[in-house]
Amino acid sequence: MEKAKGRQDRRHWGRSVGIVAFFAATGPLAGLATFLLWFVLLGIVSGTPASISDLAGGVLELLKIAVIGMFFGVPNAYSIGFPAAAVVGLVAALWEWRFRTISWLAAGGAAFVVWLVPLLYAGDRFAADGVTLSRTSGMLPAYIGATILCTWAARRIFR
């Protein structure tokens, strides 16, 4: 009976690899979606429309930009977000390996550190394909949003 329990307790490395791969594959897309949603929300809040029809037209225009951004932003999302998502996935996998659960706090803390290190090293602004972005107002919501989405999904997939 003891031998069967030992086999049941054995941790399988494939599960950890799957968690890292899941975060690395889906994290950049989730980050891009979060970044564009943040962009749309900031556009809605910063605009002061004269009427409801102006608001509806403005929101529709922002949503068009977001859809186009999803198509054309994928290469940038993976070039910027893949390493970050892989690191967050690695932390989530190591935590799951040790404690048998994917931790919201560990994944969120890893995403914050992955965002914070370049901020402290190079400052708030960086250029990606000729566009200057802010690590604070643009990238932090994208990293945290992607982490929330990936952690939520991973906790359901890797039970």
Side-chain angles (χ1 to χ4, degrees):
M1 191 63 145
E2 189 64 37
K3 200 175 215 180
K5 185 178 185 224
R7 262 189 252 138
Q8 191 177 25
D9 268 355
R10 254 182 60 198
R11 294 183 174 111
H12 194 267
W13 64 270
R15 180 180 176 87
S16 296
V17 170
I19 292 170
V20 174
F22 177 76
F23 272 80
T26 60
L29 286 176
L32 178 61
T34 305
F35 180 83
L36 291 171
L37 177 65
W38 184 245
F39 170 76
V40 168
L41 290 175
L42 286 176
I44 291 170
V45 170
S46 67
T48 52
S51 67
I52 296 296
S53 65
D54 289 345
L55 176 64
V59 170
L60 186 60
E61 192 63 34
L62 288 170
L63 289 176
K64 286 181 197 175
I65 292 170
V67 169
I68 292 169
M70 280 302 288
F71 288 117
F72 293 108
V74 171
N76 281 337
Y78 275 93
S79 68
I80 294 170
F82 181 81
V87 169
V88 173
L90 180 63
V91 169
L94 290 172
W95 189 275
E96 194 278 335
W97 178 272
R98 174 68 177 97
F99 298 106
R100 300 286 184 139
T101 185
I102 297 173
S103 169
W104 290 97
L105 187 59
F112 184 75
V113 168
V114 165
W115 167 82
L116 185 63
V117 169
L119 174 74
L120 295 175
Y121 179 72
D124 186 44
R125 305 268 177 216
F126 70 100
D129 290 344
V131 176
T132 301
L133 298 173
S134 168
R135 282 189 174 85
T136 305
S137 63
M139 301 309 288
L140 181 60
Y143 279 26
I144 298 300
T147 301
I148 289 169
L149 292 172
C150 288
T151 303
W152 177 82
R155 287 174 64 99
R156 278 140 187 79
I157 293 170
F158 298 98
R159 288 183 183 206

